[in-house]
């Protein structure tokens, strides 16, 4: 197996190259971008990020925790004040609201870690500090006989360089 | 490249050539390099005040809150004033990061990082005042709902409990927001750092490489954190305002408090962003990134929120007159013409009259003027909280219980120390992390490269 990294200057070129590579049947594709560009990220991973599911789970856990904690605690040691009910929903809504945000936020960041593959203890050898400057990279894993085809395809899409890296 | 000949592909691997670093990286990472004598002087000054406050606080713990000027009927003094002040300051960061992000206001990119950092340090400063104010710091964990042998739980109907939850949520979310935004920029710094900084950034960057799956998850996380932080930022100062509005003290017990406090918080927060970013831009030569356009937009926000504050001041007075409730009327009359009249007029002039000058475009782009104005607003907003808390408590219903309040030296020392604490962390942040979001600036630079030059961000 071989790995090729094509270096591009503009996000549109990266997106076009990725789409063509996919249409030719290459599936092991990854890109490196210095900044977020939806066209690039969507070309590689067309589905929406699953982070949204994490936010939903966190938010729902928070709202349930907020109400159940306050209501349970108010009834665990009941203090009668003026014959009013022990649990009072309007003030507890504030606690439930804050916990919705808190749990939702924490699980969102957890989602970033899970679906973004962080923390990563070994950095991909194809990564290079020029991708944290202003260059884009497209990394493709392929069999050795496909190297020439991919090389030509990337250059057709305005890759400034195409290099081989350790696989 | 010609098709691979008989030798293996692995044998053809050569090191990838390295072009020079991008202009954006060089400019924005330069802020973190070295430190001038002036920087060390400022840091030393900030550290001095921070330690001074620490020493005063230890003395206060030893002697008791009596030395803090707390005497009947005023048991909420400068510490609570300063707590509300710093919580207010903290609001601009989230507003700039989250709300302007949701509105797709691209001009926020240059200032959001500085504002987010300011938010985190301001919340941390504010949180300390709760501990300082309660006096018996060793019992402050009583506010948390934890299982204990007495079988007691906290009272969730109390606004102080709401505050505990609001402030701790706000601190957590703003730290997460700052960190998530920093990850790509820490990776940029990691790729260029050496020595101990390389180790630090390698740990903090968590192996970020900017792959599409990482950016995809990152974008979604930032969007959701913004969506969560937007109602949060509005709720936090509303909850702080209910600490007062839920009480029956004249001048406090009003329904306008939540929006009034939120507008005031955003107002003071924007002023603090200006107070910090104007010197930062000047000292580090960031004029190409933080332009007058950014300052002008911020001053428009200041003008808008100043008008909202002015409206709130007027309606407070109107309602107290219109209500026909004598204690309310007396309280407000004494605000303007009683023993604390100076604070009231400082608040009115600095917060509502002076900012009206921002109607003039010439002044909106006059950076020295903006700096002076932002400092005045910070002072005015501190006095706003002083007026609300002190005049309210000193003139309650029964004239027999009226009293006077004079800030004591421990209070003023700890107030000065809070600025020291805040500045210490902000100054350290400046040298350790990029104060302008590099990846976001690059997004704009690459867009401009793709669509030809031009476009003013």
């Amino acid at each position: 197996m071989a790995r090729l990294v094509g270096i591009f200057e503009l996000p549109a070129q990266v997106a076009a190259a990725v789409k063509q590579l996919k249409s030719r049947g290459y599936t092991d594709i990854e890109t490196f971008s210095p900044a977020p560009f939806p066209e690039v990220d969507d070309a590689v991973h067309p589905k929406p990020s699953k982070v949204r599911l994490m936010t939903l789970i966190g938010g729902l856990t928070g709202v349930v925790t907020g109400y159940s904690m306050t209501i349970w605690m108010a009834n665990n040691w009941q203090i009668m004040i003026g014959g009013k009910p022990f649990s009072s929903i309007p003030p507890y809504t504030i606690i439930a609201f804050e916990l919705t945000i808190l749990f939702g936020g924490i699980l969102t960041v957890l989602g970033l870690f899970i679906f973004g593959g962080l923390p990563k203890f070994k950095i991909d050898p194809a990564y290079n500090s020029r991708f944290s400057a202003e260059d884009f990279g497209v990394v493709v894993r392929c069999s050795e006989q496909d190297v020439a085809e991919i090389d030509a395809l990337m250059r057709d899409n305005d890759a400034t360089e195409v290099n081989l890296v350790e696989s | 490249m010609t098709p691979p000949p008989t030798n293996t592909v692995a044998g053809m691997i050569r090191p990838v050539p390295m072009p020079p670093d991008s202009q954006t990286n060089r400019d924005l990472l330069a802020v973190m390099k070295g430190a001038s004598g002036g920087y060390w002087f400022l840091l030393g000054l900030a550290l001095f005040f921070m330690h001074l406050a620490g020493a005063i606080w230890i003395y206060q713990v030893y002697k008791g809150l009596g030395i803090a000027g707390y005497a009947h009927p005023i048991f909420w003094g400068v510490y609570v004033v300063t707590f509300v002040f710093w919580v207010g300051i903290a609001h601009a960061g989230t507003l700039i990061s989250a709300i302007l992000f949701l509105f797709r206001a691209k001009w926020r990119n240059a200032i959001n990082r500085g504002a987010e950092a300011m938010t985190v340090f301001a919340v941390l400063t504010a949180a300390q005042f709760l501990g300082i104010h309660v006096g018996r710091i060793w019992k402050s964990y009583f506010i948390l709902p934890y299982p204990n042998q007495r079988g007691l739980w906290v009272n969730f109907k109390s606004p102080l409990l709401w505050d505990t939850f609001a402030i701790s949520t706000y601190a957590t979310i703003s730290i997460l927001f700052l960190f998530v935004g920093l990850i790509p920029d820490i990776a940029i710094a990691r790729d260029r750092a050496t020595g101990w900084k390389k180790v630090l950034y390698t740990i903090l960057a968590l192996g970020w490489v900017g792959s599409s799956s990482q950016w995809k998850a990152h974008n979604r996380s930032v969007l959701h954190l913004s969506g969560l932080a937007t109602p949060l930022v509005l709720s936090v100062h509303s909850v702080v305002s209910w600490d007062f509005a839920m009480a029956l003290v004249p001048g406090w017990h009003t329904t306008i408090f939540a929006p009034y406090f939120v507008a005031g918080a955003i107002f003071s927060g924007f002023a603090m962003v200006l107070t910090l970013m104007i010197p930062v831009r000047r000292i580090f030569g960031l004029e190409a990134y933080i332009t007058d356009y950014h300052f002008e937009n911020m001053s428009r926000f200041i003008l808008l929120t100043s008008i909202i504050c002015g409206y709130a001041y007027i309606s407070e007075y109107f309602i107290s007159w219109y209500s026909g409730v004598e204690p309310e009327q007396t309280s407000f009359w004494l605000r303007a013409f009683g023993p604390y009249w100076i604070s009231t007029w400082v608040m009115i002039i600095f917060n509502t009259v002076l900012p009206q000058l921002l109607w003039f475009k010439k002044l909106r782009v006059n950076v020295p003027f903006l700096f002076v104005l932002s400092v005045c607003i910070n002072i005015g907003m501190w006095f706003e909280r002083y007026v609300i808390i002190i005049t309210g408590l000193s003139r309650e219903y029964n004239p027999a219980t009226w009293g006077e309040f004079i800030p004591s030296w421990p209070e003023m020392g700890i107030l000065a120390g809070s600025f020291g604490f805040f500045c210490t962390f902000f100054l350290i942040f400046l040298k350790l992390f990029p104060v302008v979001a590099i990846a976001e600036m690059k997004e704009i630079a690459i867009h401009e490269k793709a669509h030809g030059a031009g476009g003013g961000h």
Side-chain angles (χ1 to χ4, degrees), chain A residues 30-31 33 42 45 47 52 55 76-77 86 97-98 101 112 116 119-120 127-130 132-134, chain B residues 9 17-18 24-25 150-151 153 157 191-192 206 209-212 214-216 221 224 228 232 235 442:
Chain A
E30 190 52 285
T31 57
S33 326
D42 290 343
H45 302 284
K47 283 188 184 158
R52 56 192 191 150
T55 314
N76 184 243
W77 180 295
F86 298 114
F97 170 81
E98 299 296 344
I101 305 281
L112 165 66
K120 219 185 245 342
Y127 178 75
N128 182 305
S129 66
R130 42 194 305 190
S132 61
E134 276 184 20
Chain B
V9 170
M18 286 293 298
T24 320
N25 281 356
R150 302 181 301 284
W153 297 107
K157 292 167 197 161
D191 293 345
R192 285 151 189 85
L206 305 172
V209 288
S211 67
S212 52
Q214 287 178 346
W215 276 123
K216 191 128 196 166
S221 309
H224 284 201
L228 291 169
L232 177 67
S235 86
K442 259 184 224 161

Side-chain angles (χ1 to χ4, degrees), chain B residues 114-141:
Chain B
E116 281 165 32
M118 185 197 79
T119 290
V120 170
F121 303 138
V123 174
L124 296 180
T125 313
Q128 293 180 61
F129 276 88
L130 297 174
I132 297 169
H133 166 74
V134 295
R136 297 184 192 187
I137 183 74
W138 55 93
K139 290 191 174 170
S140 51
Y141 66 92

Side-chain angles (χ1 to χ4, degrees), chain A residues 2 4-5 7 9-11 30-37 40-42 44-49 51-52 55 69-70 72-73 76-77 85-86 88 91-92 94-95 97-102 104-106 108-109 111-113 115-120 123 127-130 132-136 144 147-148 151 155 161-166, chain B residues 1-4 8-10 12-14 16-25 145 150-154 156-157 161-162 165-166 168-169 172-173 176 179-180 183 187-188 190-192 205-221 224-225 228-229 231-232 235-236 239 242 439-440 442-443 445-447 449-450:
Chain A
L4 279 166
V5 53
I7 293 171
E9 280 188 347
L10 296 176
E30 190 52 285
T31 57
F32 298 119
S33 326
F37 289 94
V40 174
D41 305 335
D42 290 343
V44 186
H45 302 284
K47 283 188 184 158
S49 172
V51 171
R52 56 192 191 150
T55 314
M69 177 180 77
T70 46
W72 177 75
M73 286 179 180
N76 184 243
W77 180 295
F86 298 114
S88 177
Y92 298 170
I94 295 165
I95 307 288
F97 170 81
E98 299 296 344
L99 289 187
T100 307
I101 305 281
L102 181 65
I106 291 172
T108 304
V109 176
L112 165 66
F113 284 14
F115 299 111
L118 300 173
K120 219 185 245 342
I123 287 184
Y127 178 75
N128 182 305
S129 66
R130 42 194 305 190
S132 61
E134 276 184 20
D135 286 331
F136 291 79
E144 294 190 2
V147 167
D151 179 81
R155 285 181 199 277
E161 287 171 34
V162 180
N163 299 301
L164 276 165
V165 285
E166 288 170 45
Chain B
M1 190 189 287
T2 49
T8 59
V9 170
M12 296 170 66
I13 297 173
R14 274 177 297 280
V16 177
M18 286 293 298
D21 203 359
S22 77
Q23 181 74 31
T24 320
N25 281 356
R150 302 181 301 284
L152 277 170
W153 297 107
V154 289
F156 285 108
K157 292 167 197 161
L161 238 295
W162 309 343
F165 277 78
S168 48
T169 301
T172 313
I173 296 293
L176 289 178
F179 180 63
V180 166
I183 295 173
I188 294 170
R190 170 200 66 198
D191 293 345
R192 285 151 189 85
L206 305 172
W208 178 270
V209 288
S211 67
S212 52
S213 55
Q214 287 178 346
W215 276 123
K216 191 128 196 166
H218 189 269
N219 267 354
R220 182 55 80 159
S221 309
H224 284 201
L225 282 175
L228 291 169
L232 177 67
S235 86
V236 169
V239 168
W242 293 333
E440 294 193 25
K442 259 184 224 161
E443 200 183 334
I446 293 169
H447 264 298
K449 197 157 76 178

